[in-house]
């Protein structure tokens, strides 16, 4: 059972499939967005500083900063509201039905569903690695509970598994 004091935080952070919206680059209210906004705030006025103070031979540093600032703004202001707040705008899994299915079954996570694991989650929509994450995450939720799952995973980088896959090649 989800403790009431952190229920909203958990439901906003963890999608019904068990993946963490809060660590995704597309999430409006996620950690990456929040940190990017803070960094933009700390860098306020830096472009003007560079314009006024850089020597001509270092003017390329100004262009580098402008590019960095543009990219940072994209991370600061993504478009996705998360799976629980309507259609996910940034989710890389097109046609994902899991949020709607969870609502239909009146559960917060697939792990809470009596049909889990179901055959609806298959290779016609999802990559094998995504199916594996779905299974592993929801099995962990069943084994340890959502509070432990959340606390154990809330600070793990969203894309860390891709890095590990690259190292194996």
């Amino acid at each position: 059972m989800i403790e009431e004091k952190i229920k909203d935080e958990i439901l906003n952070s963890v999608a019904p499939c068990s993946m963490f919206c809060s660590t995704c680059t597309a999430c409006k209210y996620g950690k990456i967005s929040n940190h990017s906004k803070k960094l933009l705030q700390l860098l306020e006025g830096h472009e003007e500083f560079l314009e006024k103070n850089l020597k001509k031979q270092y003017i390329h540093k100004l262009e580098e900063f402008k590019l960095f600032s543009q990219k940072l703004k994209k991370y600061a202001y993504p478009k996705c509201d998360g799976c629980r707040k309507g259609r996910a705008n940034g989710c890389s899994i097109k046609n994902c039905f899991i949020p709607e299915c969870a609502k239909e079954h009146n559960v917060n996570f697939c792990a809470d569903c009596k049909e889990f694991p179901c055959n609806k989650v298959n290779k016609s929509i999802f990559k094998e690695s995504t199916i594996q994450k779905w299974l592993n995450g929801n099995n962990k939720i069943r084994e340890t509970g959502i509070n432990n799952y959340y606390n154990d995973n809330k600070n793990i980088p969203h894309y860390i598994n891709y890095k590990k896959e690259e190292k194996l090649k």
Side-chain angles (χ1 to χ4, degrees), residues 57-93:
Q57 70 262 33
Y58 300 112
I59 201 70
H60 67 278
K61 297 289 184 185
L62 175 60
E63 293 308 311
E64 289 174 6
F65 178 77
K66 286 180 180 180
L67 288 172
F68 170 73
S69 185
Q70 285 176 332
K71 294 287 184 188
L72 189 58
K73 285 175 186 171
K74 288 185 180 192
Y75 286 111
Y77 300 101
K79 293 182 169 70
C80 186
D81 288 319
C83 295
R84 297 183 190 276
K85 294 181 180 175
R87 198 84 184 137
N89 293 323
C91 189
S92 62
I93 304 169

Short mmCIF file of all heavy atoms in Angstrom, two decimals, residues 57-93:
data_model
loop_
_atom_site.label_atom_id
_atom_site.label_comp_id
_atom_site.label_asym_id
_atom_site.label_seq_id
_atom_site.Cartn_x
_atom_site.Cartn_y
_atom_site.Cartn_z
N GLN A 57 39.87 36.65 -29.96
CA GLN A 57 40.32 35.29 -30.27
C GLN A 57 39.49 34.22 -29.55
O GLN A 57 39.56 33.05 -29.88
CB GLN A 57 41.82 35.11 -29.99
CG GLN A 57 42.22 35.11 -28.53
CD GLN A 57 42.75 36.46 -28.05
OE1 GLN A 57 42.30 37.50 -28.50
NE2 GLN A 57 43.69 36.42 -27.13
N TYR A 58 38.67 34.62 -28.57
CA TYR A 58 37.84 33.67 -27.84
C TYR A 58 36.34 33.84 -28.13
O TYR A 58 35.51 33.25 -27.45
CB TYR A 58 38.08 33.80 -26.33
CG TYR A 58 39.50 33.53 -25.94
CD1 TYR A 58 40.31 34.55 -25.46
CD2 TYR A 58 40.04 32.25 -26.07
CE1 TYR A 58 41.63 34.30 -25.10
CE2 TYR A 58 41.35 31.99 -25.72
CZ TYR A 58 42.14 33.03 -25.24
OH TYR A 58 43.44 32.78 -24.89
N ILE A 59 36.01 34.60 -29.13
CA ILE A 59 34.61 34.87 -29.45
C ILE A 59 33.83 33.58 -29.77
O ILE A 59 32.62 33.51 -29.57
CB ILE A 59 34.46 35.94 -30.57
CG1 ILE A 59 33.08 36.58 -30.53
CG2 ILE A 59 34.75 35.35 -31.93
CD1 ILE A 59 32.86 37.47 -29.34
N HIS A 60 34.51 32.55 -30.21
CA HIS A 60 33.85 31.26 -30.47
C HIS A 60 33.23 30.70 -29.20
O HIS A 60 32.27 29.94 -29.24
CB HIS A 60 34.84 30.26 -31.09
CG HIS A 60 35.94 29.85 -30.17
ND1 HIS A 60 37.06 30.62 -29.97
CD2 HIS A 60 36.07 28.75 -29.39
CE1 HIS A 60 37.85 30.00 -29.09
NE2 HIS A 60 37.28 28.87 -28.73
N LYS A 61 33.74 31.08 -28.04
CA LYS A 61 33.18 30.63 -26.76
C LYS A 61 31.76 31.16 -26.57
O LYS A 61 30.92 30.50 -25.98
CB LYS A 61 34.06 31.09 -25.59
CG LYS A 61 35.45 30.51 -25.58
CD LYS A 61 35.40 29.05 -25.23
CE LYS A 61 36.80 28.48 -25.13
NZ LYS A 61 36.79 27.05 -24.90
N LEU A 62 31.49 32.35 -27.11
CA LEU A 62 30.15 32.91 -27.05
C LEU A 62 29.19 32.06 -27.87
O LEU A 62 28.09 31.74 -27.40
CB LEU A 62 30.15 34.35 -27.56
CG LEU A 62 28.79 35.03 -27.66
CD1 LEU A 62 28.09 35.10 -26.31
CD2 LEU A 62 28.95 36.43 -28.26
N GLU A 63 29.58 31.68 -29.07
CA GLU A 63 28.73 30.83 -29.91
C GLU A 63 28.50 29.46 -29.25
O GLU A 63 27.39 28.93 -29.29
CB GLU A 63 29.32 30.68 -31.30
CG GLU A 63 29.31 31.97 -32.11
CD GLU A 63 27.94 32.64 -32.14
OE1 GLU A 63 26.93 31.95 -32.43
OE2 GLU A 63 27.87 33.86 -31.88
N GLU A 64 29.53 28.91 -28.64
CA GLU A 64 29.40 27.64 -27.92
C GLU A 64 28.39 27.77 -26.79
O GLU A 64 27.55 26.89 -26.58
CB GLU A 64 30.75 27.18 -27.38
CG GLU A 64 31.71 26.71 -28.43
CD GLU A 64 33.10 26.41 -27.86
OE1 GLU A 64 33.29 26.45 -26.63
OE2 GLU A 64 34.01 26.15 -28.68
N PHE A 65 28.47 28.87 -26.06
CA PHE A 65 27.53 29.08 -24.96
C PHE A 65 26.10 29.23 -25.47
O PHE A 65 25.17 28.70 -24.87
CB PHE A 65 27.91 30.31 -24.11
CG PHE A 65 26.91 30.54 -23.01
CD1 PHE A 65 26.93 29.75 -21.87
CD2 PHE A 65 25.93 31.51 -23.15
CE1 PHE A 65 25.98 29.92 -20.87
CE2 PHE A 65 24.97 31.68 -22.15
CZ PHE A 65 25.01 30.89 -21.01
N LYS A 66 25.93 29.96 -26.57
CA LYS A 66 24.58 30.14 -27.13
C LYS A 66 23.97 28.79 -27.52
O LYS A 66 22.79 28.54 -27.25
CB LYS A 66 24.62 31.08 -28.34
CG LYS A 66 24.81 32.53 -27.97
CD LYS A 66 24.85 33.39 -29.23
CE LYS A 66 25.03 34.86 -28.90
NZ LYS A 66 25.07 35.69 -30.12
N LEU A 67 24.76 27.92 -28.13
CA LEU A 67 24.28 26.58 -28.50
C LEU A 67 23.92 25.77 -27.24
O LEU A 67 22.88 25.11 -27.19
CB LEU A 67 25.32 25.83 -29.33
CG LEU A 67 25.51 26.32 -30.75
CD1 LEU A 67 26.71 25.62 -31.40
CD2 LEU A 67 24.25 26.07 -31.57
N PHE A 68 24.80 25.83 -26.26
CA PHE A 68 24.55 25.14 -25.00
C PHE A 68 23.26 25.64 -24.36
O PHE A 68 22.42 24.85 -23.92
CB PHE A 68 25.73 25.34 -24.05
CG PHE A 68 25.46 24.86 -22.65
CD1 PHE A 68 25.41 23.50 -22.37
CD2 PHE A 68 25.27 25.77 -21.63
CE1 PHE A 68 25.15 23.06 -21.09
CE2 PHE A 68 25.02 25.33 -20.34
CZ PHE A 68 24.96 23.98 -20.06
N SER A 69 23.07 26.93 -24.34
CA SER A 69 21.89 27.54 -23.73
C SER A 69 20.61 27.11 -24.46
O SER A 69 19.60 26.81 -23.82
CB SER A 69 22.03 29.06 -23.75
OG SER A 69 20.97 29.66 -23.07
N GLN A 70 20.66 27.05 -25.79
CA GLN A 70 19.49 26.59 -26.57
C GLN A 70 19.13 25.16 -26.20
O GLN A 70 17.96 24.83 -26.02
CB GLN A 70 19.79 26.67 -28.06
CG GLN A 70 19.75 28.05 -28.63
CD GLN A 70 20.16 28.05 -30.11
OE1 GLN A 70 20.91 27.20 -30.57
NE2 GLN A 70 19.63 29.02 -30.84
N LYS A 71 20.13 24.29 -26.13
CA LYS A 71 19.88 22.88 -25.77
C LYS A 71 19.34 22.78 -24.36
O LYS A 71 18.41 22.01 -24.09
CB LYS A 71 21.17 22.05 -25.90
CG LYS A 71 21.68 21.90 -27.29
CD LYS A 71 20.83 20.97 -28.09
CE LYS A 71 21.43 20.76 -29.47
NZ LYS A 71 20.55 20.02 -30.33
N LEU A 72 19.92 23.54 -23.46
CA LEU A 72 19.49 23.50 -22.06
C LEU A 72 18.02 23.93 -21.93
O LEU A 72 17.27 23.33 -21.15
CB LEU A 72 20.39 24.40 -21.22
CG LEU A 72 20.23 24.33 -19.71
CD1 LEU A 72 20.45 22.91 -19.21
CD2 LEU A 72 21.19 25.29 -19.03
N LYS A 73 17.59 24.91 -22.73
CA LYS A 73 16.19 25.35 -22.70
C LYS A 73 15.25 24.23 -23.14
O LYS A 73 14.15 24.10 -22.61
CB LYS A 73 16.00 26.58 -23.57
CG LYS A 73 16.54 27.84 -22.94
CD LYS A 73 16.45 29.03 -23.86
CE LYS A 73 17.14 30.22 -23.21
NZ LYS A 73 17.28 31.35 -24.12
N LYS A 74 15.70 23.40 -24.07
CA LYS A 74 14.87 22.26 -24.50
C LYS A 74 14.68 21.26 -23.36
O LYS A 74 13.61 20.69 -23.19
CB LYS A 74 15.47 21.59 -25.73
CG LYS A 74 15.31 22.43 -26.97
CD LYS A 74 15.79 21.73 -28.21
CE LYS A 74 15.59 22.66 -29.39
NZ LYS A 74 15.75 22.01 -30.66
N TYR A 75 15.74 21.05 -22.59
CA TYR A 75 15.63 20.15 -21.43
C TYR A 75 14.84 20.79 -20.30
O TYR A 75 14.17 20.09 -19.53
CB TYR A 75 17.02 19.75 -20.92
CG TYR A 75 17.72 18.76 -21.82
CD1 TYR A 75 18.84 19.13 -22.56
CD2 TYR A 75 17.26 17.45 -21.93
CE1 TYR A 75 19.48 18.22 -23.38
CE2 TYR A 75 17.89 16.54 -22.76
CZ TYR A 75 19.00 16.93 -23.48
OH TYR A 75 19.63 16.04 -24.30
N ALA A 76 14.89 22.10 -20.19
CA ALA A 76 14.19 22.80 -19.12
C ALA A 76 12.68 22.85 -19.36
O ALA A 76 11.89 22.85 -18.41
CB ALA A 76 14.73 24.21 -18.98
N TYR A 77 12.27 22.89 -20.63
CA TYR A 77 10.86 23.06 -20.96
C TYR A 77 10.34 21.98 -21.91
O TYR A 77 9.89 22.27 -23.01
CB TYR A 77 10.63 24.47 -21.54
CG TYR A 77 11.05 25.54 -20.57
CD1 TYR A 77 12.27 26.20 -20.72
CD2 TYR A 77 10.25 25.85 -19.48
CE1 TYR A 77 12.68 27.17 -19.81
CE2 TYR A 77 10.64 26.82 -18.56
CZ TYR A 77 11.86 27.46 -18.73
OH TYR A 77 12.26 28.41 -17.82
N PRO A 78 10.38 20.72 -21.47
CA PRO A 78 9.84 19.64 -22.31
C PRO A 78 8.31 19.68 -22.31
O PRO A 78 7.70 20.48 -21.60
CB PRO A 78 10.37 18.38 -21.63
CG PRO A 78 10.54 18.77 -20.21
CD PRO A 78 10.91 20.23 -20.22
N LYS A 79 7.70 18.81 -23.09
CA LYS A 79 6.25 18.89 -23.31
C LYS A 79 5.42 17.81 -22.62
O LYS A 79 4.21 17.91 -22.58
CB LYS A 79 5.99 18.85 -24.81
CG LYS A 79 6.50 20.07 -25.54
CD LYS A 79 6.17 19.99 -27.01
CE LYS A 79 6.41 21.26 -27.74
NZ LYS A 79 7.74 21.69 -27.95
N CYS A 80 6.03 16.78 -22.09
CA CYS A 80 5.25 15.65 -21.59
C CYS A 80 4.72 15.88 -20.18
O CYS A 80 5.46 16.26 -19.26
CB CYS A 80 6.12 14.38 -21.61
SG CYS A 80 5.19 12.90 -21.16
N ASP A 81 3.43 15.64 -20.01
CA ASP A 81 2.78 15.74 -18.71
C ASP A 81 2.84 14.44 -17.92
O ASP A 81 2.35 14.37 -16.80
CB ASP A 81 1.31 16.11 -18.88
CG ASP A 81 1.12 17.54 -19.32
OD1 ASP A 81 1.82 18.42 -18.80
OD2 ASP A 81 0.27 17.78 -20.19
N GLY A 82 3.36 13.40 -18.53
CA GLY A 82 3.40 12.10 -17.86
C GLY A 82 2.18 11.26 -18.21
O GLY A 82 1.15 11.77 -18.65
N CYS A 83 2.33 9.99 -18.01
CA CYS A 83 1.28 9.04 -18.40
C CYS A 83 -0.01 9.19 -17.61
O CYS A 83 -1.07 8.85 -18.10
CB CYS A 83 1.81 7.61 -18.23
SG CYS A 83 3.16 7.21 -19.32
N ARG A 84 0.09 9.67 -16.40
CA ARG A 84 -1.10 9.74 -15.55
C ARG A 84 -1.91 11.01 -15.75
O ARG A 84 -3.00 11.14 -15.24
CB ARG A 84 -0.70 9.62 -14.08
CG ARG A 84 -0.07 8.28 -13.78
CD ARG A 84 0.24 8.15 -12.30
NE ARG A 84 1.05 6.97 -12.05
CZ ARG A 84 0.57 5.76 -11.89
NH1 ARG A 84 -0.72 5.54 -11.94
NH2 ARG A 84 1.38 4.75 -11.66
N LYS A 85 -1.37 11.97 -16.48
CA LYS A 85 -2.04 13.26 -16.66
C LYS A 85 -2.49 13.45 -18.10
O LYS A 85 -2.43 14.53 -18.65
CB LYS A 85 -1.10 14.39 -16.25
CG LYS A 85 -0.78 14.36 -14.79
CD LYS A 85 0.12 15.50 -14.41
CE LYS A 85 0.42 15.44 -12.93
NZ LYS A 85 1.38 16.43 -12.52
N GLY A 86 -2.89 12.39 -18.73
CA GLY A 86 -3.32 12.48 -20.12
C GLY A 86 -2.31 11.79 -21.01
O GLY A 86 -1.42 11.09 -20.57
N ARG A 87 -2.43 12.01 -22.27
CA ARG A 87 -1.55 11.37 -23.25
C ARG A 87 -0.14 11.90 -23.09
O ARG A 87 0.09 13.10 -23.09
CB ARG A 87 -2.07 11.67 -24.66
CG ARG A 87 -1.51 10.73 -25.67
CD ARG A 87 -2.36 9.45 -25.69
NE ARG A 87 -1.73 8.53 -26.60
CZ ARG A 87 -1.59 7.26 -26.33
NH1 ARG A 87 -2.00 6.76 -25.21
NH2 ARG A 87 -1.04 6.47 -27.21
N ALA A 88 0.80 11.01 -22.96
CA ALA A 88 2.20 11.40 -22.83
C ALA A 88 2.69 11.99 -24.14
O ALA A 88 2.56 11.38 -25.19
CB ALA A 88 3.04 10.19 -22.45
N ASN A 89 3.23 13.20 -24.08
CA ASN A 89 3.69 13.90 -25.28
C ASN A 89 5.12 13.58 -25.64
O ASN A 89 5.55 13.88 -26.73
CB ASN A 89 3.56 15.41 -25.08
CG ASN A 89 2.14 15.84 -24.98
OD1 ASN A 89 1.28 15.31 -25.65
ND2 ASN A 89 1.87 16.79 -24.11
N GLY A 90 5.87 13.03 -24.73
CA GLY A 90 7.29 12.82 -24.99
C GLY A 90 7.71 11.38 -24.95
O GLY A 90 8.86 11.06 -25.18
N CYS A 91 6.79 10.51 -24.63
CA CYS A 91 7.13 9.10 -24.47
C CYS A 91 7.62 8.52 -25.79
O CYS A 91 7.03 8.75 -26.85
CB CYS A 91 5.93 8.32 -23.97
SG CYS A 91 6.35 6.63 -23.51
N SER A 92 8.67 7.78 -25.70
CA SER A 92 9.25 7.20 -26.92
C SER A 92 8.50 5.94 -27.36
O SER A 92 8.80 5.38 -28.40
CB SER A 92 10.73 6.89 -26.69
OG SER A 92 10.86 5.93 -25.66
N ILE A 93 7.54 5.52 -26.59
CA ILE A 93 6.78 4.32 -26.93
C ILE A 93 5.44 4.77 -27.53
O ILE A 93 4.49 5.07 -26.82
CB ILE A 93 6.56 3.42 -25.70
CG1 ILE A 93 7.90 3.06 -25.07
CG2 ILE A 93 5.78 2.18 -26.10
CD1 ILE A 93 7.80 2.40 -23.72
#
